[in-house]
Amino acid sequence: MTNIRVISPGILTTVQDRGRYGYQELGVPVSGAMDDLSFRLANILVGNDQNEAELELTYSGPSLQFDADTVVAITGADMSPKLEGKVAPMYESFLVKKDQTLSFGKLKSGIRAYIAFGGSIDVALVNGSKSTQTKIKMGGFQGRPLKAKDILKVKVNPSATCGKVLKEKYRPKNSKFAVIRAVLGPQDDYFTQKGIHDLFVSGGYMISKEFDRMGIRLKGSKIEHKETADIISDGTVFGSIQVPANGEPIILMADRQTTGGYTKIATVISADLPKLAQMQFLDKIIFQEVGIEEAQEITCKYEENFKNIIEDLK
């Protein structure tokens, strides 16, 4: 067992796995890692199951002191990681020795980074998940972000090895502009043809100041409804594009509400959600329409990529 002491917590550092599924009907949000790609890559590098919990860092990283040798990997946003004050690698498993400190500096790209530990974070499973939902204080480390002086326990996997390096071709590139593919529906029939046209061909949207783990409000061409923006509340998914009466689209993210009473014009495909997870205020996106079959093919390629990575790391 490794005890990891939090010297400073960063802005928002939480324990996340891939989410708490099966409880939306009871009003329990799914939560989980915002950037599924970076999250899974970190676990693969340290030899964990791809769903094992990690630390998700937002904007700035913590300073952590280890009381035992531990293999770690850092992926996602470049927050200038340092080990004992010297540059630490990203997308590579490496050893943090007893009494050493892992810290982070200037944010260079993206906004969310992930730290995977070779082993498992010792927090309770709540409804089958270790993910933190801060608004309802559920899961993770006492249902909240880490604070200074917290002690995070990790059950170390003795077979975890350092020196696994992810090839450059597999490393995601964080950008301030992205093409985001989406499938129409489920309530596209509530919108005029002009409204649907404007979503995909208006010149794009800028991310507003209103963005967090729940959703991303966009600024740009207003989406036109035929009559009303309201529907009988129904289920939401990660990537639902809601359009309230003001016509400004909102992309629902990991901590979204379980149901919503606004029309949903389209749904972002799962393979493009990691791009959104690394974007922030004033970044720009353009939506591209894809059909269901094409979206399924993209998802299959996305999953196949992980198999290729695992093979390459052997």
Side-chain angles (χ1 to χ4, degrees):
M1 183 78 75
T2 296
N3 289 330
I4 300 173
R5 183 166 66 91
V6 180
I7 299 170
S8 60
I11 290 178
L12 179 66
T13 301
T14 58
V15 175
Q16 301 290 346
D17 55 24
R18 295 185 70 195
R20 183 171 286 108
Y21 289 91
Y23 299 92
Q24 280 189 273
E25 65 178 15
L26 302 176
V28 179
V30 174
S31 299
M34 285 278 280
D35 180 349
D36 177 75
L37 176 56
S38 296
F39 173 86
R40 291 167 71 181
L41 290 175
N43 267 329
I44 289 170
L45 284 165
V46 297
N48 287 346
D49 179 272
Q50 291 180 44
N51 189 51
E52 184 53 60
E54 303 176 10
L55 293 183
E56 179 181 271
L57 329 177
T58 305
Y59 277 118
S60 70
S63 181
L64 307 171
Q65 186 175 51
F66 294 64
D67 80 346
D69 292 1
T70 310
V71 175
V72 305
I74 302 168
T75 61
D78 185 350
M79 296 182 182
S80 305
K82 295 179 176 62
L83 182 61
E84 289 294 291
K86 297 180 180 178
V87 175
M90 292 190 64
Y91 295 100
E92 177 180 342
S93 61
F94 63 95
L95 184 67
V96 180
K97 295 181 179 179
K98 180 181 178 182
D99 295 329
Q100 287 190 324
T101 299
L102 179 66
S103 60
F104 294 82
K106 181 180 179 181
L107 178 66
K108 294 182 178 179
S109 69
I111 59 169
R112 293 182 175 90
Y114 294 85
I115 307 174
F117 307 99
S120 61
I121 297 176
D122 188 23
V123 294
L125 284 170
V126 179
N127 291 347
S129 171
K130 296 180 181 180
S131 284
T132 311
Q133 222 297 342
T134 58
K135 293 188 183 299
I136 59 176
K137 299 180 180 179
M138 174 182 280
F141 189 92
Q142 300 177 16
R144 62 169 173 78
L146 296 184
K147 296 179 180 178
K149 299 182 181 180
D150 283 342
I151 303 293
L152 188 69
K153 296 181 180 295
V154 174
K155 296 177 182 177
V156 175
N157 178 4
S159 64
T161 58
C162 52
K164 289 188 176 182
V165 181
L166 188 69
K167 290 181 179 177
E168 193 67 35
K169 66 179 181 179
Y170 295 124
R171 301 185 185 192
K173 302 294 187 291
N174 300 318
S175 174
K176 301 186 77 62
F177 169 80
V179 175
I180 301 298
R181 294 164 290 187
V183 177
L184 271 178
Q187 284 100 30
D188 51 297
D189 56 329
Y190 275 66
F191 298 86
T192 65
Q193 284 301 311
K194 180 181 183 302
I196 293 171
H197 177 274
D198 286 347
L199 178 69
F200 295 109
V201 196
S202 66
Y205 289 85
M206 184 184 71
I207 294 175
S208 75
K209 291 180 180 178
E210 297 176 71
F211 75 100
D212 57 17
R213 282 182 50 88
M214 281 192 70
I216 299 173
R217 187 180 292 274
L218 303 175
K219 294 291 185 183
S221 294
K222 296 193 180 210
I223 306 300
E224 185 179 83
H225 294 86
K226 288 179 180 176
E227 294 179 7
T228 179
D230 299 323
I231 57 171
I232 296 173
S233 290
D234 65 359
T236 64
V237 299
F238 198 167
S240 290
I241 305 174
Q242 280 190 337
V243 186
N246 65 8
E248 296 181 338
I250 304 167
I251 306 174
L252 303 185
M253 302 298 280
D255 280 354
R256 67 197 176 277
Q257 67 275 23
T258 59
T259 62
Y262 292 134
T263 45
K264 296 176 286 295
I265 190 170
T267 307
V268 175
I269 67 171
S270 56
D272 283 357
L273 291 169
K275 298 179 190 177
L276 286 171
Q278 295 295 348
M279 301 183 80
Q280 61 175 308
F281 177 48
L282 298 181
D283 289 352
K284 187 174 181 180
I285 66 173
I286 290 177
F287 289 110
Q288 177 185 326
E289 183 181 356
V290 295
I292 291 175
E293 289 186 0
E294 184 178 356
Q296 290 171 337
E297 290 174 2
I298 294 168
T299 299
C300 288
K301 290 178 182 176
Y302 177 78
E303 293 298 330
E304 188 68 29
N305 191 52
F306 291 107
K307 295 178 183 178
N308 295 335
I309 290 168
I310 291 169
E311 283 299 313
D312 276 2
L313 288 172
K314 286 182 179 177

